Amino acid sequence: MTMLNALDKQFPAGVAQFSLGKTCTHYSTDIAEMEGLSRALWGLFPLLAGGAEVPLSDKYITAIKLGTDPQSPSYWGETGPYDQRLVEMAAYGLGLALMQDTLTNHFSETELKNLHRWLNQITDAQMPDSNWNYFAIIVQLGFKRAGMPYDQAAIDRRFNMMEAYYLGDGWYSDGPGRPKDYYISMAFHFYGLIYATLSANDDPARAATLRERASLFAKDFIYLSAADGASVPFGRSLTYRFAMVAFWSGVAFAGLDVFSPGVVKGIILRHLRWWLEQPIFDRDGILTLGFAYPNLAMCEDYNAPGSPYWALKVFLILALPADSDFWQAQELPLPELAAVHPIVPAQQILQHHENSQHVVMLTSGQLELNNYVNTEAKYTKFAYSTRFGFTIERGRYGIKHAACDSMLLLSDNDNYWRGRRECDSVEMLDGAIYSRWLPWHDVQIDTWLIPCGEWHVRVHRVNTARRLQTVEGGFAVMKADVESRAQLSRVRADNGVSVIADITPQAGVRQGDSVVTPPNSSVMFAECAVIPTLTGEIEPGKHWLCCAVAASGDRTAPQPVLPTLLIDNNTLRVTDNTCGKTLSLHI
């Protein structure tokens, strides 16, 4: 209610939308203001469905009537292809599906017809070949459960389209050839579990499939959560914040028997507590654009002032009765999780350090084809961290602007830097991820990412026709004390310690150094960041560049023993010197 009350102060009575700021998107201001109102409903409708009395709900009901009345000056209008209003329609479908006549009783026959006609625009609408198909499904589900005319063929058609995205083991891509990011959890499985729960009797076979896939997904997705409640920041739409764990609210809503209700409750509540420790609200209590603090520089061009309120999807749990297993359960910590967990369909390896207090994702092969702002930073780095996140580019010239954390960057003697973007080849190996990428047409790099105890190891085989400068970065921390020397760089800061060490068999290839980024470069903190780096120069020909990277939230933690690396003909051997285990890879 605190978040809804803050919105209510910005919401004049008798209107169909409200303004939360003056920043812009690629769609109009009127649509952005309608979006802000609509996204609040992801919290309001479950709250009402759970039996709560919410006096401010009357203003939202009035707004819906005005917005869907073609004779009203506040009418939300006719939609076109790829229209943002199609996205927002899913909230109204949810309300109808959850509340049924409890909601429709507020409308006259004419008002219901207006509502149905306006929402029904989505039935055959042209939209992106992606999770957007679920918006049409949720609207039709709402129609069906509220006793309004619905189109079962439209539901079937949209599900059939999305079947092409299914990768196996519970994973989808967000459309053909698109990434495996939080849209898989907060969209595909979130909506899928709503549908499966509310259609269990009407569509039992599909409901069973959706539940089975969500159960498989849950066993992987739990690895993106840290013990302190943080989730790995990765991909676009991070400004939706709490939506990172909306999937677990869907699990609770569906009563999915994959982890105990206490474990699911713990994941959600710790996540919310983590967010409440971050400065994400403005002085009026409104969610800001950004991630762990207000930051427009990291936002996509579809992030309007009201967009962050998709975070309220996590509050689907409010629709559960007080005597549900979820609310009756005692909050439990994460179950014991493996230190290393590969996710083959997502081309990721998750590492859990410090009893899951720090989670690192190694990844390759992801790319958002729409090329949203800072796509490379959000998808193509080697590693992402719950503690240290990642940095974004702040300019095109100079290494300090180039977001070199968790990436190997190269320059053709001009101080413009290129890293990995699109991969020509990606392969999940036993204990590693391999990728091939070409920053220039005549520069080929083969990269192996290898989890190794408290470290992860990066091995690059570079075949270049150019003389190049190279910079490779570890995780970014707050500006602090730097220790750089031959072949190693370590930074100790208030928020932890980050180290990168060169372990290339040929000594002296790279030197320890550091880069200080501008303010607002990190998605985790507003201060200038320091990135420990290794720098060097390579001549045309074939080269090996190898390093070990580690980080900890404890700035006083001793550095773990470095791994060792041996390259012998076509075999790469990496040894974890803490436990003595060696991984051998054919290269």
Side-chain angles (χ1 to χ4, degrees), residues 483-506:
E483 174 194 350
S484 296
R485 58 178 189 269
Q487 298 177 271
L488 182 141
S489 181
R490 181 190 298 112
V491 180
R492 295 188 186 276
D494 289 345
N495 66 329
V497 57
S498 177
V499 60
I500 185 169
D502 193 274
I503 56 173
T504 307
Q506 178 187 352

Side-chain angles (χ1 to χ4, degrees), residues 179-501:
K180 287 76 68 175
D181 53 21
Y182 279 103
Y183 278 90
I184 313 310
S185 58
M186 70 181 179
F188 286 92
H189 286 298
F190 178 77
Y191 302 132
L193 286 171
I194 292 172
Y195 183 89
T197 302
L198 300 180
S199 301
N201 295 327
D202 299 332
D203 196 354
R206 181 173 284 139
T209 297
L210 294 171
R211 291 175 68 89
E212 178 186 10
R213 290 179 179 180
S215 294
L216 291 170
F217 177 80
K219 294 172 184 177
D220 285 335
F221 189 60
I222 195 171
Y223 279 87
L224 273 72
S225 291
D228 67 350
S231 293
V232 178
F234 168 73
R236 66 190 178 98
S237 298
L238 293 176
T239 198
Y240 300 156
R241 296 186 173 109
F242 323 147
M244 297 172 92
V245 300
F247 167 75
W248 296 109
S249 296
V251 167
F253 180 76
L256 202 64
D257 186 18
V258 59
F259 295 105
S260 73
V263 167
V264 174
K265 188 174 187 176
I267 293 171
I268 296 170
L269 296 186
R270 285 190 300 275
H271 187 74
L272 291 172
R273 291 188 201 109
W274 187 88
W275 279 112
L276 291 176
E277 293 173 357
Q278 317 306 319
I280 59 174
F281 296 96
D282 68 14
R283 67 187 65 184
D284 296 317
I286 301 300
L287 271 175
T288 55
L289 289 160
F291 186 63
Y293 64 95
N295 186 358
L296 283 175
M298 62 152 289
C299 290
E300 289 85 23
D301 54 7
Y302 55 83
N303 291 162
S307 296
Y309 282 89
W310 240 3
L312 300 190
K313 291 166 78 171
V314 75
F315 293 116
L316 178 64
I317 50 176
L318 298 177
L320 293 170
D323 61 356
S324 68
D325 290 343
F326 177 83
W327 290 119
Q328 291 299 310
Q330 179 181 355
E331 180 183 339
L332 295 176
L334 288 174
E336 185 174 347
L337 298 173
V340 175
H341 182 77
I343 306 178
V344 175
Q347 299 164 312
Q348 300 168 356
I349 298 176
L350 277 298
Q351 292 180 274
H352 276 238
H353 303 306
E354 305 168 17
N355 297 316
S356 296
Q357 292 291 337
H358 181 207
V359 179
V360 172
M361 174 199 289
L362 307 179
T363 187
S364 296
Q366 304 259 14
L367 184 65
E368 172 49 66
L369 301 177
N370 286 310
N371 195 35
Y372 294 117
V373 175
N374 282 296
T375 282
E376 290 97 331
K378 294 169 182 175
Y379 285 99
T380 71
K381 291 181 186 285
F382 302 134
Y384 296 84
S385 159
T386 55
R387 285 196 178 275
F388 307 107
F390 59 90
T391 70
I392 58 173
E393 283 192 2
R394 296 302 309 279
R396 294 301 304 153
Y397 183 82
I399 191 62
K400 69 177 289 185
H401 296 290
C404 66
D405 61 302
S406 299
M407 182 46 56
L408 171 64
L409 296 182
L410 307 104
S411 175
D412 189 10
N413 301 285
D414 58 4
N415 213 16
Y416 288 95
W417 297 87
R418 298 191 186 193
R420 184 175 69 169
R421 180 176 166 83
E422 190 167 2
C423 294
D424 278 13
S425 178
V426 179
E427 187 176 354
M428 292 292 291
L429 306 174
D430 186 9
I433 309 177
Y434 162 79
S435 65
R436 172 171 291 173
W437 47 290
L438 282 75
W440 289 269
H441 71 90
D442 54 359
V443 179
Q444 176 181 296
I445 302 177
D446 297 290
T447 293
W448 291 263
L449 303 177
I450 304 163
C452 187
E454 295 299 308
W455 303 86
H456 72 264
V457 171
R458 308 176 196 161
V459 177
H460 310 289
R461 182 171 59 196
V462 183
N463 189 352
T464 177
R466 304 165 183 242
R467 177 172 165 267
L468 296 169
Q469 290 74 50
T470 72
V471 176
E472 184 163 9
F475 292 108
V477 298
M478 292 180 181
K479 188 173 181 180
D481 301 327
V482 180
E483 174 194 350
S484 296
R485 58 178 189 269
Q487 298 177 271
L488 182 141
S489 181
R490 181 190 298 112
V491 180
R492 295 188 186 276
D494 289 345
N495 66 329
V497 57
S498 177
V499 60
I500 185 169

Side-chain angles (χ1 to χ4, degrees), residues 142-201:
F143 288 165
K144 183 177 182 179
R145 286 182 54 81
M148 303 167 82
Y150 73 97
D151 187 342
Q152 183 63 45
I155 294 175
D156 296 337
R157 183 171 65 253
R158 298 290 181 177
F159 271 119
N160 290 338
M161 290 176 67
M162 292 189 292
E163 202 54 31
Y165 319 154
Y166 188 61
L167 305 173
D169 295 331
W171 281 85
Y172 295 82
S173 60
D174 189 17
R178 295 190 67 198
K180 287 76 68 175
D181 53 21
Y182 279 103
Y183 278 90
I184 313 310
S185 58
M186 70 181 179
F188 286 92
H189 286 298
F190 178 77
Y191 302 132
L193 286 171
I194 292 172
Y195 183 89
T197 302
L198 300 180
S199 301
N201 295 327

Side-chain angles (χ1 to χ4, degrees), residues 542-565:
K542 295 182 179 179
H543 305 270
W544 290 98
L545 300 176
C546 312
C547 66
V549 177
S552 170
D554 180 2
R555 72 185 309 273
T556 65
Q559 180 176 301
V561 180
L562 271 170
T564 51
L565 181 146

